[in-house]
Amino acid sequence: MSNIIDGKSVAEQVLAECSEEIAALKNVGITPGLAVVLVGEDPASKVYVGSKVRKCAELGLHSRKIELPVDATQAEVLAVVEELNHDPQIHGILVQSPPPPQIDEEAIVRAIDPAKDVDGFHPTNVAKLALEDGSGFVPCTPAGCMRLLKEAGVETSGAEAVVIGRSMIVGKPMALLLMSKEGNATVTVAHSRTKDLAAVCRRADIIVAAIGRPEFVTADMVKEGAAVIDVGINRVDDATAKRGYRLVGDVAYAEVAPKCSAITPVPGGVGPMTIAMLIANTIKAARQSG
Ligand code: GUN
């Protein structure tokens, strides 16, 4: 019965909408600009940052990639953020997470001008999300998950939703979006200390898995007909794969998919949406800057 949600195609649709908005902004003399800051050499982060900058170029957005060495100091990163806060060509600033251990990430996020915080991590934007103030920025991954549910025709209103994971990047904002006046779901946030997680999950009409543990959600945890959004991207060793690893989600896809009314694959589900929503947030920041 499974309906596979094609994140690539929904992301293309979002980006097509973005292209129209970019053209409209350029007509009034504004080219949206995104700055991406990468501290260190984390290979996965390098790939993510590269694709963000490439996507900007494809769409005709202005972008800057700022790479700092792995031993960069807090003061050096703060100085870069400060410079970007005052750069009129830059409307969105993203400091790739996780930074090296000497960097106090929370302090960096607080230093970003909230009007340029396209990640939606600054306390001002966290508060705006909780307050349902539409002028704020919603974190890209949960915003993408909401859009996928909508495009797949999954009714959130009145639904029992279980979010697994309570991170500031995904779990908490996802719960806020699902329980908002837009989502109208009844939301449970489950995490590592949740008692009988399987029973909690089995109640769910909608499961959002964001725990970062490969194939954690198994078929016995999923109700027949549930919609499942898999936020996980985990590398697992695979000697038969060319790179020596393969990517799997937080959901045991092969056994869970047959039970679902809708499910996102990994890769090709939530992943492509994150960049699309980042571009959408950058355009919003540019629009609101005028
Ligand atoms: N690392 C993984 N996901 C994200 C994200 O959405 N934003 C930033 N800044 N870093 C990340």
Side-chain angles (χ1 to χ4, degrees):
M1 75 185 296
S2 168
N3 161 24
I4 300 167
I5 304 175
D6 183 350
K8 242 179 116 182
S9 128
V10 179
E12 274 165 22
Q13 201 178 311
V14 172
L15 290 171
E17 294 162 13
C18 287
S19 287
E20 286 178 25
E21 287 201 59
I22 293 164
L25 281 166
K26 284 190 173 176
N27 272 338
V28 295
I30 301 171
T31 300
L34 174 70
V36 185
V37 182
L38 175 65
V39 189
E41 304 280 340
D42 180 68
S45 290
K46 276 188 146 177
V47 173
Y48 293 141
V49 164
S51 23
K52 285 165 188 171
V53 171
R54 222 174 16 257
K55 192 54 80 181
C56 284
E58 262 174 56
L59 292 163
L61 257 69
H62 171 64
S63 72
R64 278 179 69 184
K65 179 163 81 170
I66 294 130
E67 291 176 285
L68 295 173
V70 68
D71 59 354
T73 64
Q74 181 79 5
E76 283 166 340
V77 183
L78 284 172
V80 166
V81 168
E82 198 50 34
E83 195 251 312
L84 294 170
N85 280 343
H86 293 101
D87 182 340
Q89 286 190 297
I90 293 299
H91 304 97
I93 303 170
L94 179 148
V95 181
Q96 187 66 26
S97 182
Q102 78 276 14
I103 300 298
D104 175 355
E105 191 174 11
E106 226 171 89
I108 302 293
V109 167
R110 283 168 193 265
I112 297 172
D113 178 349
K116 296 190 176 189
D117 168 40
V118 285
D119 259 330
F121 296 166
H122 189 284
T124 296
N125 287 314
V126 177
K128 284 186 174 182
L129 176 57
L131 294 163
E132 301 190 34
D133 173 341
S135 71
F137 295 101
V138 177
C140 303
T141 302
C145 294
M146 289 301 283
R147 179 77 187 246
L148 287 176
L149 287 169
K150 191 171 169 193
E151 296 295 333
V154 176
E155 180 62 270
T156 58
S157 184
E160 284 271 357
V162 172
V163 177
I164 318 175
R166 53 181 160 181
S167 73
M168 291 306 297
I169 297 189
V170 187
K172 277 187 202 167
M174 189 72 219
L176 286 169
L177 287 167
L178 283 164
M179 77 173 77
S180 73
K181 291 274 173 10
E182 198 186 312
N184 287 309
T186 302
V187 183
T188 302
V189 180
H191 46 78
S192 54
R193 304 286 174 90
T194 298
K195 276 189 201 155
D196 203 354
L197 179 66
V200 171
C201 290
R202 273 194 298 271
R203 290 206 306 261
D205 303 308
I206 299 167
I207 294 178
V208 179
I211 21 170
R213 287 169 68 174
E215 302 183 320
F216 180 81
V217 176
T218 46
D220 60 302
M221 298 164 74
V222 178
K223 179 168 81 177
E224 197 73 39
V228 174
I229 303 291
D230 188 351
V231 181
I233 303 178
N234 307 290
R235 288 183 180 191
V236 296
D237 293 339
D238 183 349
T240 67
K242 212 159 76 184
R243 298 168 171 156
Y245 67 86
R246 66 195 159 87
L247 293 179
V248 300
D250 289 351
V251 176
Y253 184 86
E255 61 177 72
V256 170
K259 296 185 83 173
C260 298
S261 58
I263 185 166
T264 58
V266 177
V270 174
M273 290 300 290
T274 302
I275 291 190
M277 302 318 278
L278 173 67
I279 302 287
N281 274 352
T282 304
I283 292 167
K284 180 177 176 177
R287 205 188 317 118
Q288 292 186 168
S289 75

